[in-house]
Amino acid sequence: MTGQATPPELPPGLLQEYLAGMRTELATLAAIAERLAVAKNDRAALQALRRAAHQIHGSAGSFGFMEASRLAAGMEATAKDWADWPDDPEVERAPLARWFVARLAELLGLALPRMPAAVGPPATSPPPRVGTTPRSPAPLAKPAPQAKPAPPAKPGPPAPRAPPGQPSRKPAPPPPAQPAPPPPAQPASPPPAARPQVAPRQVPEVIYVEDDAALAGLLEYGLRAHGYRFAAYRNGREALRELLALDVQGTHPLLLLDVDLPALDGYSIFDALQRERPGTYRVVFTTVHGTEEEQLRGLEAGALDYLVKPMSLRVALEKIKRWVGR
């Protein structure tokens, strides 16, 4: 394969899974390029291109495709510039996006996906979120039929009158009302069950939050192969919720925290943990932006270290070994 230098620590099966995923990713990028051919200021397409290039930048080098990683880094910077100036009339974006797809396929040793026919601009209504199905509007409820008014009650027979010359009898007074028996005493509700505690040997040694499926799979393989207890999250909000609730039993798990998470980025998660559970986790940021300024930002905030993507699995595992203290 052109441009391939398979890391010796990777089993062939994991590499093939990555390339299978990249075939799908190439088809997605080709569709984005055609959207830009229809409307070069399609903001959603520009953001999707930037995000896809960002993930390939981080993952391709970790699987040995260093030139593909550098190509994606350049495309990421370009797409970001396009997104900042979407209405620039002098920039033609579709030809460069198509070239990026073709060159990336060549570097990965994959067949070039068939470019789909150009599609029109997206509908004005937002697409359904991933993992949900669009809901059709509920039918209007029919008005309930009006109930017919009840007929007036017929008057009962008149009370019998006393014979002439005899005083009328007064009706007997009703018997005095008996006091209602007191309600049976309700049994006292049991106290709430204590929250089950996690034994120290079950607390994860390593927790990683990574939205790139390829890198997440790479880390899972390495940690499992070396016998680590670990937990993984792909969504920033879910990760924060679980990290705030986890009973660490006095331990200090290592937290590998991706900076560039969607919805809730790594810095926001780190700030929340510093406020709510200071000192609980030893945080190492993972990012493709390994500039001096970026690293100083995290270190000055209290992070343990930085792990720059693309990462070598062998180097990452050696660092994890030292951070965990094995």
Side-chain angles (χ1 to χ4, degrees):
M1 295 183 183
T2 305
Q4 177 182 347
T6 307
E9 65 270 19
L10 286 183
L14 196 61
L15 178 62
Q16 294 307 316
E17 287 181 12
Y18 173 72
L19 291 174
M22 285 306 302
R23 290 187 183 94
T24 303
E25 190 67 22
L26 285 170
T28 301
L29 287 167
I32 292 173
E34 297 313 305
R35 287 176 60 181
L36 293 175
V38 174
K40 64 180 182 181
N41 63 344
D42 185 334
R43 289 168 171 79
L46 293 173
Q47 290 295 344
L49 177 60
R50 185 202 65 79
R51 185 71 189 171
H54 172 81
Q55 291 192 341
I56 296 169
H57 176 197
S59 63
S62 301
F63 284 85
F65 299 98
M66 297 306 300
E67 192 172 350
S69 177
R70 290 190 289 270
L71 174 71
M75 189 72 252
E76 179 188 3
T78 301
K80 183 179 183 302
D81 182 65
W82 288 351
D84 291 340
W85 303 91
D87 298 316
D88 188 342
E90 298 182 1
V91 178
E92 291 298 330
R93 293 163 179 147
L96 181 56
R98 289 169 175 156
W99 173 85
F100 170 64
V101 176
R103 179 61 177 152
L104 182 62
E106 178 185 358
L107 293 175
L108 295 174
L110 299 175
L112 181 66
R114 185 175 63 87
M115 295 294 180
V119 295
T124 54
S125 59
R129 294 178 62 187
V130 176
T132 62
T133 54
R135 296 183 179 180
S136 56
L140 295 176
K142 296 181 179 180
Q146 296 291 334
K148 295 182 179 180
K154 295 182 178 180
R161 300 179 63 183
Q166 293 186 6
S168 59
R169 293 182 179 178
K170 294 182 179 180
Q178 297 292 329
Q186 295 292 332
S189 57
R195 180 180 176 183
Q197 294 185 343
V198 182
R201 65 177 180 275
Q202 296 176 343
V203 175
E205 298 170 285
V206 182
I207 303 169
Y208 64 90
V209 188
E210 173 59 65
D211 69 314
D212 187 323
L215 276 181
L218 185 64
L219 284 170
E220 178 182 354
Y221 163 77
L223 294 172
R224 193 180 301 279
H226 287 74
Y228 286 100
R229 300 186 306 275
F230 65 92
Y233 301 99
R234 299 278 300 278
N235 178 279
R237 296 191 186 280
E238 176 191 3
L240 178 58
R241 183 176 64 250
E242 297 296 328
L243 291 170
L244 290 174
L246 180 62
D247 184 358
V248 298
Q249 291 291 297
T251 65
H252 299 280
L254 176 68
L255 175 58
L256 302 180
L257 187 56
D258 185 12
V259 169
D260 305 291
L261 293 168
L264 191 65
D265 64 88
Y267 288 125
S268 299
I269 295 175
F270 181 72
D271 291 342
L273 292 175
Q274 290 291 85
R275 290 193 308 270
E276 303 294 333
R277 305 192 68 181
T280 301
Y281 300 98
R282 293 171 293 160
V283 177
V284 172
F285 283 118
T286 64
T287 179
V288 298
H289 306 296
T291 63
E292 180 180 284
E293 181 183 28
E294 186 79 14
Q295 295 188 50
L296 284 174
R297 177 184 176 185
L299 294 173
E300 290 173 353
L304 179 65
D305 206 341
Y306 254 83
L307 198 57
V308 179
K309 297 183 285 188
M311 66 180 72
S312 160
L313 181 61
R314 180 177 296 172
V315 173
L317 289 172
E318 183 61 31
K319 289 187 174 183
I320 290 171
K321 177 181 177 182
R322 297 173 184 271
W323 290 326
V324 171
R326 282 195 172 187

